[in-house]
Amino acid sequence: MKASDVLLDGIVDTEVFESSHIKKSLLYYLRYWKLFLISFVVVFSLVFAYIYFAIPLFQVNSVIMLKDESKGSVFLENPVLSELSDFKSYQITDNEIDVLQSSDLMRQAIKDLNFNYLAYHKNFLGKLNTVSNSELPFIIEVINIDEDYLLDKEFEVLGIENNYIIYSNGDAVNEIKFEETFQNEFAILKIHRNKEVKEFDNYPLIVNLFNNAQLASMMSGSLKVEPKDKNSSILYVSLKTEFPDMGVQVVNELVNTYNENAVAEKKEVALKSLEFLDTQLAMLSAELSGMQSNIETFKYNKDVVDVENDSKFYQQNAFDNSKQISINRSQLEILGNLKSEVLSGTEQSITLGPLSNDDPALLLMIQDFNNEVDKLDRLKGAILPENPVYVNTTERIASVRNKIVAHLDDRIDALEISTRNLEKASDTYNSKYHSGPMIQRQYEALTRDLDFKKTHYINLIEKREETSLYLASVSSTHSKTIEKSYFSPVPVSPNKPILGLIGLFIAFAAPFSYLFVKRTFQGKLEDRSQIVVPSSSSVLGELSQIDKKPNGPIIDQNSKTPIAEQLRYVRTSYCLNDFGKESQVTLVTSTVSGEGKTFFALNFAKSMSLIGKKTAVLFYDLRKPLEYAHLFDKGAIGISEFINNENISFKQFLEGGLEYQGVTLFHTGKLPHNPAEILLSPRNQELINEMRKHFEFIVLDSAPVGQVSDSFSLIPLVDATIYMMRYNWTTKHDIEFFHQLKAEAKINNPMLVLNGSRAGQGYSYGNYQYN
């Protein structure tokens, strides 16, 4: 249950209250139906005026697809280029959107389209209608234009006479001859006849001249590029323009320029790369030639062909020579021993040993020698030494010995020569071998960068070939046009249905918001429930608002008006209360002025007099001149004179009263400077007591209690208090003030009368009318 329901529980049916509250709120706004009507008329007049005078905007659309491998779009990839990793194309769609929407790209696109002027036809009401360049009877050729001139230049073409264009620039009417060049402050122009247009009567024409920068800024401002979705490289290009034919050409040229720039950028990078590679190859080739020449000179000076292999060769030869020298020396030793044995003169057999295999001649001579020695041994026991056979054998032994010695000498000499040569060669080889590391180090110092330069040279050659291949194979487009530019004949602006809905909303919301704010922040009394529910105060009745306030009472014996019946209702409600006194004094007051106290006091007293009550009205507002003062005699004694002057008797005061339509009126008298103190005087109480003796019903019309304290002095003297409140006048603060007075018991028997009601219409029953 809501808090409001808890507060209202037991006091009023919540559903009935809410329904009544909605009804009251609706009636509140319906009272201002004229304001809503005026709002609707004004708003829709403005909407229709805007729709009529606004220049229609058409939307030019196109769809393109970018090459973006990250989003699966590789339709432009050349199979030749697929192997060239250095030239693969990578794009970010968001970046490409920014490029397409840039003013610089738009400026390039419109540069060659000759769109430096826009024309409009003005009708008699001042409405501008666009006229495409192809429909104009003339063509403006812009020979030169100042790109720094920021303001558009406008002139009015009034017509064509003979071979001249009649135009006005606002200051004077001038003529321009066809095919003649003329210059103004920011451009050089030439006007040609459009031979395609035979008749043209839509004069005057308003022609605006722009430079490329201005037109590009205008176009790019209305250009919109959006991706299909975040995972797609398909872009929707749209341009809102007053000239759809021109817009189609601009969008197509924009896409073409975008492709040309992208391809040119790729080719520029490739050409610069190719130029750089050629320069590097030339420099590297010169470096390689110099390095190879230095190596050639080094090898020649060091007498080497291959440093590493030559070093191994020298090492092996030195080892082989050392081995051969050792063998030669062994053979020399053997041969020397053999020679010594042969020269010893003994006639014993000779054993050749290891030399038998490599010297067959020596082997034969030793065999001959050994054979002769064996023969001699056999002859020694058989014949004498003098025997010729013995002598001949001895001589043959000596001869063979000499041959062996001569052969051994030859062998020894040859081996000694060979050994010396080997030793010399070995020294050379050892020298070469030991100098190898130094030569190797020097060689490596010369060839240290050679392999790197060669590899770098080969890589550069490969890159140059790849670059040349890429340059020859690069695609001529950067994007694929899926849907060429087109425009719908239905303008996107002004959108009549949308404007109608917006106008309808504003026409209703403007007065509603005004009334709502007024109702909320002003906090005026609008509904009886604002008082009845919170305070449970007795409401005597409501009085309808009167357009023109009457000078006197509006109720009499024959009155049948709604407000007269309302006053009777209030009187009846009041009479239902029993205050226990024959003569009753009722105070009529309010929180602030303007709530109808005096009007009600007079008419309420009149209604009491109609039922036979002797009634009097005392105007107790001692701070404000009396509205009915002109009815009284100038010498009539008023309330202030009676209270201030004890010499004035009540009889004299009573005689100063005015009989007015059955009611006796007593005016305030001269306005005193101390009204609060006067009302606290005992004379004031005496006055009320005396009045009770002469009248059955007394009404005190007092000052507002929320503004001055005068009326509080009258509270102890009265039997009841009628508290006036006025719809759309009394504030919520005033209501709270009334609640506070009641809670603090500062007023006697408070009863409410609500004035200024507009809640219903009058209706009749018999000869009576009710509200």
Side-chain angles (χ1 to χ4, degrees):
M1 183 178 291
K2 298 184 292 184
S4 58
D5 295 338
V6 175
L7 293 175
L8 298 178
D9 189 23
I11 299 176
V12 67
D13 190 320
T14 304
E15 294 183 359
V16 173
F17 172 73
E18 290 180 352
S19 175
S20 175
H21 182 71
I22 295 173
K23 181 179 179 181
K24 293 290 184 181
S25 298
L26 182 60
L27 291 175
Y28 168 78
Y29 291 107
L30 288 177
R31 288 203 300 266
Y32 297 92
W33 64 271
K34 291 182 180 179
L35 180 61
F36 283 91
L37 179 60
I38 293 172
S39 175
F40 273 80
V41 171
V42 172
V43 170
F44 276 94
S45 297
L46 294 176
V47 169
F48 289 136
Y50 174 78
I51 292 175
Y52 179 76
F53 286 99
I55 300 176
L57 284 179
F58 297 87
Q59 181 165 303
V60 179
N61 299 305
S62 180
V63 183
I64 64 174
M65 181 165 62
L66 301 176
K67 185 182 78 170
D68 192 343
E69 291 185 358
S70 64
K71 296 181 178 179
S73 175
V74 292
F75 62 92
L76 293 175
E77 191 64 72
N78 192 315
V80 177
L81 302 181
S82 60
E83 301 299 327
L84 305 181
S85 58
D86 293 341
F87 292 96
K88 286 188 179 293
S89 176
Y90 299 98
Q91 302 183 98
I92 300 177
T93 302
D94 292 342
N95 293 346
E96 299 305 311
I97 290 175
D98 292 337
V99 172
L100 280 166
Q101 289 179 325
S102 65
S103 297
D104 186 64
L105 184 67
M106 182 65 75
R107 188 183 302 115
Q108 295 180 48
I110 66 175
K111 185 176 181 180
D112 299 327
L113 293 178
N114 196 25
F115 286 157
N116 293 98
Y117 61 96
L118 303 175
Y120 304 86
H121 166 61
K122 183 192 293 185
N123 65 11
F124 68 97
L125 291 178
K127 173 179 171 57
L128 295 178
N129 297 308
T130 59
V131 182
S132 65
N133 292 353
S134 60
E135 297 175 342
L136 293 174
F138 53 83
I139 299 173
I140 301 177
E141 177 187 357
V142 178
I143 300 175
N144 188 25
I145 193 167
D146 184 5
E147 293 293 338
D148 296 328
Y149 192 87
L150 299 180
L151 299 178
D152 59 294
K153 186 67 176 179
E154 178 183 297
F155 61 91
E156 186 174 5
V157 176
L158 304 176
I160 297 177
E161 293 184 2
N162 297 328
N163 205 28
Y164 290 89
I165 288 182
I166 312 300
Y167 75 97
S168 171
N169 57 7
D171 298 330
V173 176
N174 301 304
E175 295 181 346
I176 301 176
K177 189 175 182 180
F178 283 113
E179 308 302 330
E180 283 190 0
T181 302
F182 71 97
Q183 182 176 0
N184 57 21
E185 63 271 22
F186 76 103
I188 300 176
L189 308 171
K190 180 185 286 187
I191 299 183
H192 309 278
R193 278 190 179 274
N194 188 354
K195 298 180 180 179
E196 301 296 328
V197 179
K198 304 301 182 182
E199 296 182 0
F200 187 85
D201 298 323
N202 293 329
Y203 296 106
L205 287 172
I206 305 299
V207 180
N208 291 317
L209 289 176
F210 303 93
N211 57 30
N212 291 330
Q214 289 176 275
L215 201 56
S217 178
M218 293 168 54
M219 291 291 182
S220 60
S222 59
L223 179 69
K224 190 174 184 180
V225 182
E226 293 180 322
K228 181 180 179 181
D229 53 61
K230 64 180 181 179
N231 296 320
S232 174
S233 62
I234 295 178
L235 300 182
Y236 292 92
V237 182
S238 62
L239 175 67
K240 291 182 179 179
T241 177
E242 300 169 353
F243 298 85
D245 294 335
M246 181 184 72
V248 169
Q249 299 180 55
V250 168
V251 171
N252 287 333
E253 188 63 25
L254 181 71
V255 175
N256 293 337
T257 304
Y258 168 74
N259 286 328
E260 291 173 0
N261 287 357
V263 173
E265 183 179 355
K266 289 183 179 180
K267 289 186 176 180
E268 182 181 3
V269 172
L271 289 172
K272 288 187 177 296
S273 300
L274 197 61
E275 181 182 352
F276 171 77
L277 290 172
D278 288 339
T279 303
Q280 292 296 311
L281 283 171
M283 294 173 57
L284 194 57
S285 179
E287 290 180 4
L288 285 173
S289 178
M291 293 175 68
Q292 290 172 343
S293 178
N294 292 337
I295 292 173
E296 181 182 355
T297 302
F298 174 79
K299 287 184 176 181
Y300 178 79
N301 292 335
K302 297 298 183 179
D303 192 22
V304 293
V305 177
D306 189 328
V307 176
E308 185 176 356
N309 292 332
D310 286 355
S311 179
K312 291 179 180 180
F313 172 76
Y314 291 140
Q315 182 182 12
Q316 185 65 39
N317 285 348
F319 174 76
D320 293 342
N321 285 354
S322 297
K323 182 178 179 181
Q324 189 62 43
I325 290 172
S326 178
I327 294 172
N328 288 354
R329 286 176 179 174
S330 297
Q331 289 181 351
L332 284 173
E333 184 178 358
I334 294 171
L335 289 174
N337 293 335
L338 181 60
K339 180 180 178 181
S340 298
E341 184 180 354
V342 172
L343 291 177
S344 65
T346 61
E347 294 179 354
Q348 296 178 351
S349 298
I350 300 173
T351 302
L352 184 57
L355 298 176
S356 60
N357 296 325
D358 60 350
D359 195 349
L362 179 60
L363 179 61
L364 289 175
M365 287 188 288
I366 290 175
Q367 288 178 352
D368 288 346
F369 181 80
N370 289 335
N371 290 333
E372 292 298 331
V373 170
D374 291 339
K375 184 178 179 182
L376 182 62
D377 289 339
R378 290 193 303 270
L379 290 178
K380 283 182 178 181
I383 61 174
L384 294 173
E386 291 86 6
N387 188 304
V389 175
Y390 188 92
V391 172
N392 289 335
T393 301
T394 303
E395 290 177 354
R396 282 198 295 273
I397 290 172
S399 174
V400 173
R401 178 182 284 115
N402 290 334
K403 289 181 180 180
I404 291 173
V405 170
H407 183 78
L408 288 174
D409 287 338
D410 292 338
R411 285 286 307 275
I412 289 172
D413 290 340
L415 284 173
E416 289 179 346
I417 291 171
S418 175
T419 301
R420 285 194 298 270
N421 290 335
L422 288 173
E423 289 177 347
K424 184 178 180 180
S426 182
D427 291 340
T428 300
Y429 290 148
N430 284 330
S431 176
K432 292 281 189 180
Y433 168 69
H434 290 298
S435 63
M438 179 183 67
I439 295 173
Q440 182 70 22
R441 178 177 58 77
Q442 294 174 348
Y443 178 77
E444 288 179 354
L446 288 173
T447 61
R448 183 176 295 116
D449 295 332
L450 182 62
D451 292 338
F452 172 74
K453 295 290 184 181
K454 286 180 178 179
T455 302
H456 186 42
Y457 185 82
I458 293 173
N459 287 337
L460 289 178
I461 290 293
E462 291 176 353
K463 295 299 179 185
R464 190 184 187 283
E465 293 301 322
E466 289 180 2
T467 305
S468 300
L469 184 61
Y470 173 80
L471 191 61
S473 305
V474 67
S475 174
S476 60
T477 58
H478 191 60
S479 64
K480 180 180 180 180
T481 300
I482 299 177
E483 193 168 352
K484 290 186 177 182
S485 299
Y486 69 94
F487 71 92
S488 172
V490 179
V492 296
S493 176
N495 191 318
K496 296 179 182 179
I498 297 298
L499 287 176
L501 290 175
I502 293 175
L504 183 64
F505 173 77
I506 294 176
F508 177 78
F512 178 83
S513 300
Y514 166 75
L515 294 174
F516 178 80
V517 171
K518 177 183 176 183
R519 186 182 189 190
T520 302
F521 290 95
Q522 288 183 350
K524 300 298 180 64
L525 174 63
E526 297 175 359
D527 186 73
R528 179 172 176 174
S529 62
Q530 292 177 263
I531 303 170
V532 175
V533 173
S535 66
S536 298
S537 299
S538 174
V539 178
L540 298 180
E542 298 184 9
L543 303 181
S544 298
Q545 180 173 322
I546 300 176
D547 295 332
K548 184 177 181 182
K549 184 178 179 181
N551 292 327
I554 61 173
I555 184 173
D556 56 27
Q557 194 69 35
N558 299 317
S559 296
K560 299 177 182 179
T561 61
I563 194 169
E565 294 303 322
Q566 291 166 355
L567 285 168
R568 291 187 177 96
Y569 181 84
V570 171
R571 180 188 64 193
T572 303
S573 300
Y574 180 86
C575 293
L576 293 176
N577 295 281
D578 184 10
F579 300 105
K581 294 182 180 181
E582 295 182 1
S583 178
Q584 297 178 8
V585 179
T586 302
L587 175 68
V588 178
T589 186
S590 64
T591 306
V592 295
S593 62
E595 294 180 297
K597 298 184 307 298
T598 303
F599 167 77
F600 172 75
L602 182 60
N603 284 278
F604 184 56
K606 174 65 175 178
S607 68
M608 285 295 185
S609 69
L610 293 178
I611 61 174
K613 296 281 187 179
K614 186 177 182 182
T615 307
V617 178
L618 279 70
F619 296 104
Y620 257 95
D621 192 349
L622 303 182
R623 297 177 181 267
K624 184 179 179 182
L626 180 61
E627 183 178 353
Y628 300 102
H630 63 281
L631 299 177
F632 294 88
D633 296 334
K634 291 184 178 180
I637 297 174
I639 297 174
S640 62
E641 286 87 0
F642 176 80
I643 296 175
N644 283 328
N645 191 347
E646 294 183 355
N647 295 324
I648 299 176
S649 65
F650 178 76
K651 182 179 180 181
Q652 292 175 307
F653 173 76
L654 195 61
E655 292 175 351
L658 174 66
E659 290 292 335
Y660 184 71
Q661 298 187 14
V663 180
T664 305
L665 307 180
F666 297 90
H667 70 102
T668 57
K670 294 181 179 179
L671 299 181
H673 64 278
N674 57 343
E677 288 75 13
I678 290 177
L679 294 177
L680 290 173
S681 171
R683 290 273 291 177
N684 185 37
Q685 185 175 0
E686 178 184 347
L687 174 61
I688 298 300
N689 291 335
E690 291 295 330
M691 290 293 293
R692 286 180 181 272
K693 297 176 183 179
H694 292 81
F695 296 94
E696 296 177 86
F697 192 79
I698 305 164
V699 178
L700 306 184
D701 178 24
S702 67
V705 294
Q707 293 177 321
V708 293
S709 62
D710 301 357
S711 298
F712 289 110
S713 302
L714 300 174
I715 295 296
L717 307 178
V718 302
D719 303 309
T721 304
I722 295 180
Y723 207 94
M724 297 295 299
M725 291 187 183
R726 182 178 175 185
Y727 286 112
N728 297 311
W729 185 275
T730 302
T731 65
K732 294 180 180 179
H733 177 74
D734 297 337
I735 298 174
E736 293 174 359
F737 180 74
F738 168 73
H739 296 335
Q740 183 179 358
L741 292 180
K742 182 183 177 185
E744 296 175 357
K746 291 184 178 181
I747 50 179
N748 291 337
N749 298 320
M751 292 174 284
L752 293 172
V753 173
L754 307 180
N755 191 17
S757 173
R758 292 182 179 177
Q761 301 294 331
Y763 61 91
S764 62
Y765 178 76
N767 294 326
Y768 295 92
Q769 293 183 356
Y770 298 91
N771 187 24

